[in-house]
Amino acid sequence: MKQYNITGMSCAACSARIEKAVSAVEGVSLCSVSLLTNSMSVEGDAASEAVITAVKAAGYGASLKSSGKKSSELHSDELEDNETPVLKRRLIWSLIFLIPLMYISMGNMMWNFPLPEIIEKNHVTMAIIQLLLTTAVMVINQKFFISGFKGLIHRSPNMDSLVAIGSGTSYIYSIYTLFAMSDAQFNGNHQAVMSYMHELYFESAAMILTLITVGKLLEARSKGKTTDALKGLMKLAPKKAVILRNGIETEVSADEVSTGDIFVVRPGENIPVDGIVIEGNSAVNESALTGESVPVDKSTGDTVSAASINTSGFIRCRATKVGEDTTLSQIIKMVSDAAATKAPIAKTADKVSGIFVPAVIAIAVITVIVWLLAGQSFIFALERGISVLVISCPCALGLATPVSIMVGSGVGAKNGILFKTAESLENTGKTEIAVLDKTGTVTIGKPEVTDIIPAEGIPEEILLSDAYSLECKSEHPLAGAVVRAAQQRNITAQEVKDFRTLTGSGLSGLIGEEIIYGGNQKFISEKTDIPGYALKSAEEAALKGETPLFFCKNGVFTGIITVADTIKKESPQAVAELKKMGIRVVMLTGDNENTANAVGKATGVDEIIAGVLPDGKENVIRKFKKQGRVAMVGDGINDAPALTRADTGIAIGAGTDIAIDAADVILVNSRLTDVPAAIRISRAALKNIHENLFWAFIYNIIGIPLAAGIWFPVFGWKLNPMFGAAAMSLSSFCVVSNALRLNILKVRNPERDRKIKHKKIKEDKSMEVTLKIEGMMCGHCEASVKKALEAIPTVSEAVVSHESGTAVVTLTAETPFEVLKKAVEDKDYTVIG
């Protein structure tokens, strides 16, 4: 995705025009323009030159965002508020000329404010002074006319076009009136001169421009505040680092640190880049990244992140991620990307914005014609037309969604919750079913050995030594528990040859001439007889939520080692909060039913699905998606397909890079209570967007008919163009100010949580058939049978298990048993029922 800076936009009509122009370029697959950040994101293989040319042809400016700089530097420059100072100067100079203009035109005419005799007695002189003062205001605010008429020339009128036409019409008509007044005075017709004085609208032209500038200034200041969270993150980027070169400490710019460099951090200093501690102990404040105020203890082997603060001890670290790869830079990039994308809810506003300005111009013309045909004076009709032009506001429509997305993303980032796109921020709050992976998500993910139960005549140390030798070659979390327990007892691993692993079953290897097996009960029972007392011990352990690992050597049972993964202390609270929101909570795990039930009971989940193999998680998500919108929460490589399949994938921050890449939302803290917090932010942002869109639409629905004078025949209501301009200037300010209220959201406070209304689930007419199959030995067998069955047109899904020797087949229509049987037996397996 390429990012561009865009110049010349004034409202949503501009962004809609640019999107239409760029989308027509060959090779562009997706284009998204942000009025808030004046940027454009383009996906596809189109050349940058072609994209820039298309933008320029539409009447705007474009440039490719710079590359080669650090992410934080790049975005910090772009988000600098350069607009507010310019608008402030324009407003001050406008007021310098507007105040005397209003004094002469309205103060003297309406309230008899004193003027020099030479001006007061000569009305033409008074009108010429008004002309000069108004011209000065128009020159100061020439940007409205340049942008507005450029838009008209390119057949893409925008908000500036409305202002330019409204103000320009008042100015031109007033000049015509001035000439008529001069002619009347030359001919000595003083009554006509006085009549023409009341037809001058110089003050309206100047006031419209000044009031719109006031609105633009308020809007710019508020827009600047919407990016405060992002700018705050950028300011955290450390500028300096102390690295070791040839044993000597050298202070360098943080940009100069390379991967592998050794850097030192003293108490009170910022950590310059991501790294791993190689010496020393300290407590590190990571609140800038995680929102967690309590410092985290760090020692040798622990990771540290850029922008966190070393609060106590001296540490020496090795740089692992620098520049754009640091955690801070990635957070900044995600928040910025979320603001650059568009939420689905914005599509309606975009469609309206694309035709809004031409429609308003048409309404204004029709208004003037209708009032003239109704017998009203030209002045009356002109006033109504100008009021329609200056009260209409496409800006509020264009800003309604992006400001809420930007503020919501910023609130999330400050609390360690990262939304990758605007769509993910919108969809998270619509979750109806939350599926939680057990290991590493509901539990800590670092199992520990709880008991060692050797067989009769087998010393405990021998059992642990054999298990350690075998498990140290495995990457499974349960293997890690055995390894740590052996290392704590200073047991040395023996050399293992011909090591093999069977997914979901167990391990095998040779120690000398002896073959060792380790794995679950079913796997070991195929290799040896397990004594009754061992089976009873295993059952008792499983009921407590512990996982028993069985071992045997040369066909002789050697014992059991039980392992348990501790439940995260916040998991029960997170589940309770999700349920309070009306969300059905499901726990998904590959563990046995007893272990899963123990964890599920302790946390209070609604449903437990145990014994799911890694490739089966995606199928479970596919099933749940038929019942409602699904959020999958996981952390491992094997969770990535399920995270991608879910409506919203939520990755635990401490998880694997693959899981994080596959997810839509990332929880930096790895804290399960951040799942309901993310939903809370999404719901609040979505509600805020609905409010903004409502006010943007209702403002125009009420304001345009009022300005057109539709109520004049009934109630005598008519709107002065100056009041219309004032209303227009405040509309965008109100929308942006409403979005800023998201900053006061208490993301971890469940008191205001409300249950969502679930949509009615369509009746599932699918059927399930369970086939009993002989001959399956491993995961490859399962995959072969699954592929064969799912190739049948009427089979939507097949869940195959070699452990139970079954295939649960979901059918969309009746299918003869012989068809299913043949598909399996063609792969050399036997269907026995």
Side-chain angles (χ1 to χ4, degrees):
M1 183 169 70
K2 292 181 180 177
Q3 297 267 355
Y4 297 81
N5 294 311
I6 303 294
T7 57
M9 291 194 298
S10 62
C11 68
C14 299
S15 59
R17 170 69 178 170
I18 294 170
E19 283 184 5
K20 186 178 179 181
V22 174
S23 296
V25 175
E26 189 175 347
V28 173
S29 58
L30 183 67
C31 173
S32 176
V33 178
S34 172
L35 180 64
L36 180 64
T37 56
N38 291 313
S39 62
M40 175 174 70
S41 304
V42 177
E43 291 184 11
D45 54 8
S48 300
E49 293 75 16
V51 171
I52 291 171
T53 301
V55 175
K56 287 182 177 177
Y60 305 90
S63 61
L64 194 62
K65 287 191 178 181
S66 308
S67 58
K69 290 198 262 182
K70 279 178 67 180
S71 175
S72 57
E73 293 173 346
L74 176 67
H75 291 295
S76 183
D77 293 342
E78 289 157 7
L79 290 177
E80 193 67 37
D81 185 7
N82 299 315
E83 194 178 2
T84 300
V86 173
L87 287 167
K88 193 173 182 181
R89 285 194 297 271
R90 268 174 52 188
L91 178 61
I92 290 170
W93 280 106
S94 296
L95 288 171
I96 287 172
F97 291 100
L98 180 68
I99 291 170
L101 171 62
M102 296 303 292
Y103 183 91
I104 293 170
S105 64
M106 300 192 77
N108 176 259
M109 294 290 293
M110 295 176 68
W111 298 294
N112 294 319
F113 288 173
L115 282 174
E117 190 174 342
I118 191 171
I119 298 173
E120 192 165 5
K121 287 191 174 182
N122 192 327
H123 292 94
V124 172
T125 302
M126 188 186 297
I128 290 172
I129 292 172
Q130 289 183 44
L131 168 67
L132 295 174
L133 291 170
T134 302
T135 303
V137 174
M138 295 181 82
V139 170
I140 292 164
N141 293 284
Q142 59 186 281
K143 186 177 181 295
F144 290 122
F145 296 93
I146 295 169
S147 171
F149 288 119
K150 188 188 286 185
L152 289 171
I153 292 166
H154 286 92
R155 291 183 298 176
S156 56
N158 51 36
M159 189 204 83
D160 290 345
S161 302
L162 299 178
V163 176
I165 293 171
S167 178
T169 302
S170 297
Y171 182 75
I172 292 168
Y173 180 78
S174 297
I175 291 176
Y176 164 77
T177 304
L178 175 59
F179 278 109
M181 184 191 300
S182 301
D183 184 62
Q185 183 163 309
F186 180 77
N187 293 319
N189 189 345
H190 297 293
Q191 188 175 354
V193 170
M194 288 303 296
S195 175
Y196 283 129
M197 276 298 291
H198 292 287
E199 292 186 18
L200 291 174
Y201 282 90
F202 285 122
E203 78 284 353
S204 290
M207 180 64 85
I208 287 168
L209 294 172
T210 305
L211 286 172
I212 299 298
T213 303
V214 170
K216 286 283 185 184
L217 175 63
L218 293 171
E219 180 186 319
R221 286 173 65 94
S222 299
K223 278 164 67 177
K225 289 180 182 178
T226 66
T227 57
D228 279 352
L230 192 50
K231 286 184 279 192
L233 285 171
M234 292 169 193
K235 289 176 184 175
L236 295 171
K239 303 293 185 290
K240 300 290 183 182
V242 178
I243 62 173
L244 287 177
R245 286 181 177 165
N246 301 320
I248 300 172
E249 292 185 9
T250 307
E251 186 177 281
V252 297
S253 168
D255 297 346
E256 296 177 40
V257 180
S258 301
T259 304
D261 282 350
I262 306 299
F263 62 91
V264 298
V265 189
R266 290 179 170 79
E269 293 180 347
N270 281 351
I271 293 169
V273 295
D274 290 6
I276 187 167
V277 179
I278 57 174
E279 183 186 322
N281 297 281
S282 182
V284 175
N285 186 339
E286 298 178 333
S287 60
L289 303 177
T290 66
E292 185 61 60
S293 58
V294 180
V296 180
D297 292 331
K298 301 287 182 180
S299 57
T300 303
D302 290 334
T303 58
V304 290
S305 300
S308 48
I309 302 170
N310 181 18
T311 60
S312 53
F314 173 91
I315 52 174
R316 187 172 292 170
C317 311
R318 180 183 293 108
T320 55
K321 292 180 181 178
V322 299
E324 291 187 352
D325 295 326
T326 64
T327 303
L328 176 65
S329 293
Q330 290 301 308
I331 289 173
I332 291 170
K333 183 177 183 300
M334 283 182 197
V335 176
S336 179
D337 285 352
T341 58
K342 287 200 173 183
I345 195 172
K347 289 177 182 176
T348 303
D350 287 347
K351 286 178 182 177
V352 173
S353 299
I355 59 168
F356 185 85
V357 176
V360 167
I361 294 172
I363 292 169
V365 172
I366 291 169
T367 297
V368 173
I369 293 170
V370 168
W371 282 117
L372 288 174
L373 293 174
Q376 289 291 344
S377 67
F378 180 73
I379 291 298
F380 181 91
L382 187 65
E383 271 192 357
R384 304 291 74 75
I386 292 171
S387 294
V388 168
L389 290 171
V390 297
I391 199 171
S392 308
C393 189
C395 273
L397 282 172
L399 290 170
T401 301
V403 290
S404 298
I405 294 294
M406 174 62 88
V407 179
S409 298
V411 169
K414 285 192 290 187
N415 289 278
I417 300 165
L418 307 179
F419 298 92
K420 282 188 177 179
T421 63
E423 187 174 0
S424 61
L425 177 57
E426 178 181 334
N427 288 341
T428 303
K430 298 176 181 177
T431 299
E432 295 170 308
I433 302 168
V435 180
L436 314 177
D437 177 54
K438 181 179 78 70
T439 307
T441 303
V442 176
T443 62
I444 291 172
K446 195 174 182 181
E448 297 296 336
V449 170
T450 53
D451 201 2
I452 299 172
I453 309 166
E456 293 178 1
I458 304 292
E460 192 175 289
E461 288 73 17
I462 296 295
L463 171 60
L464 188 55
S465 175
D466 289 345
Y468 174 34
S469 303
L470 197 60
E471 299 283 7
C472 68
K473 292 193 174 285
S474 171
E475 294 180 356
H476 196 281
L478 299 182
V482 175
V483 170
R484 286 189 294 274
Q487 289 174 343
Q488 287 168 5
R489 301 188 184 200
N490 297 318
I491 292 174
T492 306
Q494 304 168 71
E495 185 182 356
V496 175
K497 296 178 182 177
D498 195 24
F499 175 80
R500 294 182 184 179
T501 178
L502 298 172
T503 305
S505 297
L507 312 167
S508 68
L510 287 171
I511 298 179
E513 297 299 320
E514 297 178 311
I515 184 164
I516 309 290
Y517 290 102
N520 59 30
Q521 180 182 329
K522 180 175 172 51
F523 178 67
I524 297 301
S525 64
E526 293 172 357
K527 311 298 178 186
T528 186
D529 292 327
I530 303 174
Y533 70 87
L535 291 173
K536 186 178 179 183
S537 297
E539 190 177 337
E540 290 172 355
L543 290 172
K544 292 188 289 184
E546 298 171 356
T547 302
L549 303 177
F550 296 77
F551 295 90
C552 71
K553 179 163 42 177
N554 282 345
V556 178
F557 178 72
T558 55
I560 298 172
I561 297 177
T562 60
V563 176
D565 191 2
T566 310
I567 296 171
K568 291 179 180 177
K569 62 180 180 181
E570 74 275 3
S571 291
Q573 179 190 343
V575 171
E577 288 182 16
L578 288 169
K579 289 168 76 173
K580 185 182 176 185
M581 290 175 166
I583 295 170
R584 178 178 161 203
V585 186
V586 180
M587 190 181 75
L588 193 61
T589 178
D591 269 354
N592 63 69
E593 267 191 49
N594 287 330
T595 303
N597 287 335
V599 174
K601 187 177 179 182
T603 53
V605 298
D606 295 309
E607 187 176 342
I608 301 159
I609 302 176
V612 182
L613 292 170
D615 61 349
K617 292 184 178 180
E618 185 187 5
N619 291 328
V620 173
I621 297 299
R622 198 192 299 263
K623 264 187 179 177
F624 279 123
K625 283 184 73 172
K626 295 176 183 176
Q627 302 173 31
R629 299 187 70 89
V630 179
M632 169 71 192
V633 188
D635 69 328
I637 292 174
N638 58 3
D639 295 325
L643 289 168
T644 305
R645 174 63 60 186
D647 295 295
T648 305
I650 303 176
I652 296 292
T656 63
D657 289 342
I658 293 174
I660 289 171
D661 288 342
D664 303 298
V665 183
I666 297 164
L667 309 180
V668 178
N669 290 323
S670 301
R671 190 168 47 193
L672 197 58
T673 45
D674 281 352
V675 174
I679 293 170
R680 225 166 267 132
I681 292 171
S682 174
R683 288 185 179 181
L686 196 57
K687 181 183 176 185
N688 195 270
I689 290 169
H690 283 141
E691 290 169 352
N692 285 346
L693 287 173
F694 172 79
W695 288 115
F697 276 112
I698 207 73
Y699 162 80
N700 285 295
I701 288 168
I702 294 173
I704 291 175
L706 177 63
I710 198 170
W711 303 114
F712 180 71
V714 183
F715 302 109
W717 295 347
K718 61 180 181 177
L719 189 70
N720 186 293
M722 287 187 284
F723 291 111
M728 182 189 194
S729 67
L730 289 173
S731 60
S732 296
F733 171 68
C734 292
V735 164
V736 178
S737 299
N738 184 52
L740 290 173
R741 291 192 305 112
L742 287 171
N743 282 313
I744 62 174
L745 175 69
K746 295 177 180 178
V747 300
R748 293 191 174 87
N749 185 353
E751 288 181 8
R752 295 192 173 185
D753 290 345
R754 296 289 181 270
K755 288 190 176 183
I756 56 173
K757 292 180 180 178
H758 291 282
K759 61 186 179 183
K760 290 184 178 179
I761 301 167
K762 292 180 181 178
E763 187 183 351
D764 188 2
K765 296 182 179 179
S766 60
M767 298 167 280
E768 279 192 358
V769 175
T770 302
L771 304 179
K772 293 182 180 179
I773 303 170
E774 279 187 348
M776 294 191 297
M777 303 295 292
C778 63
H780 294 293
C781 300
E782 290 176 353
S784 181
V785 172
K786 177 181 175 67
K787 187 175 181 181
L789 288 168
E790 290 185 348
I792 300 170
T794 53
V795 174
S796 63
E797 182 185 6
V799 180
V800 186
S801 170
H802 75 276
E803 291 181 341
S804 60
T806 61
V808 180
V809 185
T810 304
L811 304 172
T812 56
E814 282 194 33
T815 306
F817 173 69
E818 289 72 21
V819 174
L820 302 175
K821 182 179 179 181
K822 185 177 184 302
V824 176
E825 293 189 342
D826 281 350
K827 295 295 180 181
D828 298 325
Y829 302 99
T830 305
V831 178
I832 59 173

